[in-house]
């Protein structure tokens, strides 16, 4: 399309330029030759036409009112009747000039003239096989005493102009084809590179939809697509972690429930196989069954708490204004028998009436879990220090024990569900490894923070910070 438009524009431009130039000449000379022609001064007229032809690189002819050649600069057509359209146009009157293009056998007497350059040479090479040549006729009437007495006809060889036009057309055609092929190649290449990450992403997403969370895509560059790919990778990594945690959680929960269940089964079976029912042993075995059931219900309660805390909805909290100081003292009262049993002194330092907007039940749970740990992992006859104070806009709750402590490697994991440093000991102490996970969830829901300082064999200090607004 562009090729056709460009070719036409160039053709029109070059031909219009030539035709308007020679139209102008034909008109000028028709006026000039009028007196010569009227005087029937054949030699003067001929000389004039020869000069015009030589000067303007054309062939000048004068015809009379009947179209018969009266003088020809090339002296070949004298007496011949010309009937081309341009002569007819101007002799009939009404037009000052008329021009037309003809593809004639090369008998017009011109030397074939190609421009002396690469275009000319190519043109000669491409088109020399034909004997025809392009000529333009420009005719203008010779008027004397307001009467048309003849016409001047300029026959202009335009072979080189046409050659030029044709060659330019060829060039445009070749450039258009090359550009087209280049564009197609570029589009194919570019769309291949562009679409590759999209294809990879689509593939990855389909795999994730099928449950394979190990999918990752290559991230290169800084483009929007690269950002999308990196977000996708983050998402699949998170999904993979979640899947892993979920599997681990289910496995741990099942394991934790299986242990007391197996114990209960063994205890019940040994009761069944007793030949003689000894009330003392039976009571003891039933006592063990009961404590295993307690352990199971504790575990189920913890699991349920975690599930609810995980929902992290505002409804997960029953918020009211809580007197934290009173709540902590009550928790310590309840735990005193436990510490007393092991000769552990519970040293309490609490500022009075610290108010906090939160869920009282969950906050007490937080206190219980942390103080219970401190007692559980302390040596007998040691001391556990508990304090609750405010500092500018913070409520600081601290529990310090001088017990077994936690090694540096274990600290990052102790908030993980079911994580217990010493599984054997935890079994003895009755822990399930969910206490600190619950603590962390409660603190996060109350926009607080928790910090652990621990030295293996020396003791642990746990600090909880809550926002203080009162
Ligand atoms: N004060 C502490 N001193 C030493 N180790 C501790 C202390 N608190 C927690 N830990 C370690 O961190 C682990 C996780 O604690 P967490 O409270 O979550 O579980 P648990 O006490 O074993 O069981 P439970 O679910 O009954 O609380 C414990 O098993 C213990 O190894
Ligand atoms: Mg605990």
């Amino acid at each position: 399309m562009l090729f056709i438009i460009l070719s036409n524009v160039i053709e029109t431009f070059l031909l219009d330029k030539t035709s308007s130039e020679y139209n102008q000449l034909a008109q000028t000379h028709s006026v000039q030759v009028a007196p010569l022609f009227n005087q029937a001064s054949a030699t003067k007229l001929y000389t004039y036409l020869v000069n015009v032809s030589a000067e303007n690189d054309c062939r000048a002819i004068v015809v009379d009112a009947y179209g018969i050649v009266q003088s020809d600069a090339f002296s070949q057509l004298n007496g011949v009747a010309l009937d081309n359209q341009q002569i007819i146009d101007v002799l009939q009157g009404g037009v000052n000039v008329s021009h037309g293009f003809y593809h004639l056998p090369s008998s017009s007497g011109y030397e074939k003239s190609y421009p002396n350059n690469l275009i000319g040479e190519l043109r000669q090479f491409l088109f020399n096989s034909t004997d025809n040549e392009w000529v333009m006729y420009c005719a203008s009437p010779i008027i004397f005493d307001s009467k048309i007495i003849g016409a001047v006809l300029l026959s202009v060889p335009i072979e080189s102009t046409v050659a030029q036009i044709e060659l330019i057309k060829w060039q445009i055609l070749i450039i258009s084809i090359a550009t087209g092929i280049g564009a197609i190649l570029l589009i194919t290449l570019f769309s291949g590179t562009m679409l590759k990450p999209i294809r990879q992403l689509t593939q990855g997403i389909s795999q994730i939809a099928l449950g394979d969370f190990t999918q990752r895509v290559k991230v290169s560059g800084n483009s929007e697509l690269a950002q999308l790919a990196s977000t996708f990778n983050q998402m699949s990594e998170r999904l993979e972690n979640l899947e892993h945690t979920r599997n681990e959680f289910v496995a741990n929960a099942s394991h934790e429930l299986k242990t007391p269940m197996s114990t209960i089964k063994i205890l019940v079976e040994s009761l069944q196989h007793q030949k003689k029912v000894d009330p003392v042993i039976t009571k003891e075995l039933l006592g063990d069954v009961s404590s295993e059931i307690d352990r199971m219900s504790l575990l189920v309660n913890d699991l349920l708490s975690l599930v609810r805390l995980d929902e992290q909805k505002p409804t997960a909290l029953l918020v009211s204004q809580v007197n934290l100081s009173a709540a902590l003292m009550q928790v310590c009262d309840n735990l005193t028998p436990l510490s007393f049993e092991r000769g552990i002194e519970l040293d309490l330092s609490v500022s009075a009436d610290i108010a906090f907007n939160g869920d009282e039940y969950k906050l007490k749970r937080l206190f219980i879990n942390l103080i219970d740990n401190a007692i559980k992992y302390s040596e007998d006859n040691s001391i556990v220090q508990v304090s609750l104070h405010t500092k500018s806009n913070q409520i600081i709750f601290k529990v310090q024990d001088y017990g077994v402590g936690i090694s540096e490697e274990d600290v990052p994991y102790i908030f993980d569900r079911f994580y217990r440093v010493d599984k054997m000991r935890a079994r003895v102490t009755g822990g399930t490894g969910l206490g600190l996970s619950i603590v962390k969830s409660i603190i996060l829901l109350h926009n607080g923070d928790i910090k652990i300082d621990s030295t293996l064999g020396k003791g642990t200090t746990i600090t909880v910070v809550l926002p203080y607004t009162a």
Side-chain angles (χ1 to χ4, degrees):
M1 187 65 187
L2 185 70
F3 161 71
I4 298 171
I5 296 171
L6 261 176
S7 303
N8 285 343
V9 168
I10 286 164
E11 185 173 327
T12 315
F13 172 74
L14 288 175
L15 289 180
D16 277 3
K17 194 168 160 269
T18 313
S19 61
S20 67
E21 190 183 319
Y22 282 94
N23 279 343
Q24 186 65 47
L25 270 176
Q27 287 181 77
T28 312
H29 293 300
S30 66
V31 174
Q32 303 279 332
V33 298
L36 300 176
F37 185 48
N38 190 47
Q39 289 159 18
S41 169
T43 324
K44 280 187 183 165
L45 185 60
Y46 173 71
T47 317
Y48 183 85
L49 292 183
V50 169
N51 285 339
V52 167
S53 302
E55 278 166 20
N56 299 296
D57 200 14
C58 65
R59 176 180 187 171
I61 293 169
V62 166
V63 297
D64 62 15
Y66 305 101
I68 295 163
V69 176
Q70 296 302 315
S71 187
D72 171 13
F74 287 12
S75 301
Q76 287 171 337
L77 298 172
N78 292 331
V80 175
L82 296 182
D83 57 354
N84 64 60
Q85 192 56 49
Q86 280 60 50
I87 299 284
I88 296 167
D89 283 349
V90 296
L91 291 182
Q92 276 177 355
V95 287
N96 277 337
V97 70
S98 171
H99 74 269
F101 302 99
Y102 297 87
H103 201 204
L104 301 176
S106 107
S107 55
S108 46
Y110 301 117
E111 277 289 305
K112 265 200 171 175
S113 55
Y114 295 107
N116 189 19
N117 56 21
L118 180 70
I119 296 172
E121 278 168 30
L122 270 169
R123 163 77 184 156
Q124 203 162 4
F125 172 73
L126 288 168
F127 305 107
N128 206 18
S129 55
T130 168
D131 271 344
N132 288 357
E133 64 181 315
W134 282 96
V135 175
M136 180 177 72
Y137 288 162
C138 294
S140 182
I142 304 171
I143 298 168
F144 198 80
D145 271 352
S146 309
K147 268 188 2 211
I148 297 171
I149 57 166
V152 168
L153 178 72
L154 299 181
S155 166
V156 187
I158 54 165
E159 194 59 27
S160 59
T161 311
V162 173
Q164 218 170 339
I165 292 168
E166 276 174 9
L167 203 84
I168 290 173
K169 279 184 179 177
W170 272 97
Q171 286 173 329
I172 293 173
L173 183 67
I174 290 166
I175 290 170
S176 304
I177 292 171
T179 316
I181 293 172
I184 291 169
L185 278 175
L186 262 179
I187 289 168
T188 321
L189 252 162
F190 196 58
S191 65
T193 344
M194 281 273 293
L195 290 177
K196 200 173 162 203
I198 296 178
R199 267 202 299 272
Q200 282 182 336
L201 268 176
T202 318
Q203 248 171 20
I205 291 166
S206 327
Q207 288 301 311
I208 282 196
L210 292 172
D212 174 8
F213 301 127
T214 57
Q215 291 299 313
R216 302 286 184 276
V217 288
K218 231 170 95 186
V219 183
S220 50
N222 234 341
S223 64
E224 302 279 313
L225 267 176
Q227 275 174 25
L228 185 65
S230 119
T231 312
F232 170 82
N233 286 345
Q234 281 168 17
M235 180 195 75
S236 44
E237 198 175 319
R238 199 162 150 64
L239 280 174
E240 197 183 356
N241 286 343
L242 276 174
E243 173 75 353
H244 179 71
T245 315
R246 188 179 68 99
N247 288 341
E248 208 176 42
F249 185 75
V250 171
N252 285 330
S254 324
H255 175 77
E256 290 300 323
L257 285 169
K258 233 173 91 188
T259 318
M261 267 158 61
S262 324
T263 317
I264 291 170
K265 193 166 166 44
I266 294 166
L267 290 169
V268 170
E269 274 173 3
S270 53
L271 265 176
Q272 273 178 336
H273 294 116
Q274 259 188 20
K275 290 203 177 99
K276 248 175 67 191
V277 180
D278 179 343
V280 179
I281 295 179
T282 308
K283 204 174 167 202
E284 202 178 302
L285 287 176
L286 285 177
D288 288 347
V289 169
S290 170
S291 68
E292 285 303 322
I293 290 173
D294 283 350
R295 204 169 120 69
M296 268 168 67
S297 62
L298 202 77
L299 176 67
V300 170
N301 278 341
D302 278 355
L303 286 174
L304 284 174
S305 302
L306 270 175
V307 170
R308 285 198 205 103
L309 287 167
D310 274 353
E311 286 174 2
Q312 294 213 349
K313 290 178 192 158
T315 49
L317 293 182
L318 272 174
V319 181
S320 64
Q321 202 185 57
V322 183
N323 185 335
L324 271 192
S325 316
L328 177 61
M329 284 191 284
Q330 199 190 334
V331 166
C332 288
D333 274 353
N334 294 343
L335 289 172
T336 307
L338 193 75
S339 60
F340 185 75
E341 217 174 57
R342 300 194 31 225
I344 295 170
E345 185 194 333
L346 216 53
D347 177 45
L348 196 58
S349 157
V350 184
S351 300
D353 299 326
I354 297 176
F356 179 70
N357 281 329
D359 186 320
E360 182 162 8
Y361 174 79
K362 293 194 172 73
L363 291 164
K364 278 184 177 168
R365 188 72 199 275
L366 180 155
F367 293 149
I368 294 170
N369 285 6
L370 291 179
I371 300 170
D372 174 62
N373 277 354
I375 296 172
K376 233 170 20 181
Y377 304 109
S378 277
E379 302 300 326
D380 287 356
N381 307 314
S382 62
I383 183 168
V384 168
Q385 289 160 327
V386 178
S387 66
L388 181 73
H389 300 289
T390 57
K391 193 174 169 194
S392 58
N393 55 354
Q394 292 181 327
I395 297 172
I396 297 163
F397 168 65
K398 216 180 249 190
V399 184
Q400 185 165 11
D401 66 62
Y402 300 91
V404 294
I406 309 163
S407 73
E408 227 174 284
E409 301 89 69
D410 286 311
V411 168
Y413 304 106
I414 58 164
F415 291 106
D416 290 357
R417 288 162 194 192
F418 296 106
Y419 191 83
R420 284 168 302 182
V421 176
D422 181 349
K423 295 188 176 52
M424 283 317 291
R425 191 187 158 95
R427 183 98 192 97
V428 175
T429 49
T432 58
L434 291 175
L436 284 180
S437 311
I438 294 171
V439 164
K440 188 155 186 195
S441 298
I442 293 172
I443 291 172
L444 289 180
L445 277 176
H446 285 91
N447 303 316
D449 202 4
I450 184 163
K451 205 179 108 208
I452 294 185
D453 266 314
S454 191
T455 312
L456 201 59
K458 291 222 164 129
T460 306
T461 304
I462 298 208
T463 313
V464 174
V465 178
L466 292 170
Y468 184 49
T469 45

